[in-house]
Amino acid sequence: AQVLEVRAVRAEQISQGVGLSYSVSLKMVRVKAFELRSKTSKELLKELDEMKAELAQLRVAKVSGGAASKLAKIKVVRKSIARILTVYNQKQKAEARKQYKGKKYQPLDLRP
């Protein structure tokens, strides 16, 4: 009877999330480009710094023999960094196009 009672209490604790020792990485949800486009340049650069720091930590974990899940995250973080840089560069180029619109001369890379 005591064992059943302990199991019932433990089942209730598990359902409430008490006493579980696992880490959930909310940052590792894949970054979507359309979400990045709504952010400002400063926010993009801040997120870029965070991703680069996370990549550095993952590389350290790789060298020190980290878990397989961390090794798999390296690819996701690298691709996220590439997405952030792509959106940032698109924003910069659009801003430059706006600045040179209607001018007599345009830089070669801004010409259609």
Side-chain angles (χ1 to χ4, degrees), residues 17-80:
V18 176
L20 295 179
S21 59
Y22 62 90
S23 62
V24 178
S25 179
L26 295 174
K27 293 293 287 181
M28 282 320 303
V29 176
R30 236 182 67 185
V31 179
K32 305 268 196 250
F34 75 92
E35 293 170 353
L36 292 174
R37 287 194 176 91
S38 63
K39 295 186 177 186
T40 64
S41 293
K42 284 190 176 186
E43 289 173 337
L44 287 174
L45 290 176
K46 183 174 174 255
E47 192 161 345
L48 181 66
D49 286 340
E50 291 171 5
M51 286 288 182
K52 284 187 175 182
E54 187 161 4
L55 181 61
Q57 288 175 347
L58 291 173
R59 285 184 173 155
V60 168
K62 178 182 175 184
V63 170
S64 62
S69 61
K70 285 194 175 187
L71 298 181
K73 282 183 185 178
I74 290 176
K75 180 179 177 182
V76 176
V77 173
R78 286 179 61 232
K79 301 297 180 186
S80 296

Side-chain angles (χ1 to χ4, degrees), residues 4-18 20:
L4 290 175
E5 193 174 309
V6 170
R7 284 186 184 160
V9 169
R10 184 67 188 137
E12 188 177 324
Q13 286 177 340
I14 290 173
S15 68
Q16 293 174 355
V18 176
L20 295 179

Side-chain angles (χ1 to χ4, degrees), residues 60-105:
V60 168
K62 178 182 175 184
V63 170
S64 62
S69 61
K70 285 194 175 187
L71 298 181
K73 282 183 185 178
I74 290 176
K75 180 179 177 182
V76 176
V77 173
R78 286 179 61 232
K79 301 297 180 186
S80 296
I81 289 172
R83 275 190 198 92
I84 292 169
L85 284 172
T86 300
V87 171
Y88 180 75
N89 288 331
Q90 286 173 347
K91 278 183 176 277
Q92 294 294 99
K93 199 158 190 172
E95 189 68 34
R97 282 186 200 280
K98 201 183 300 180
Q99 194 174 8
Y100 280 98
K101 188 168 179 105
K103 298 273 174 50
K104 185 174 181 182
Y105 299 109

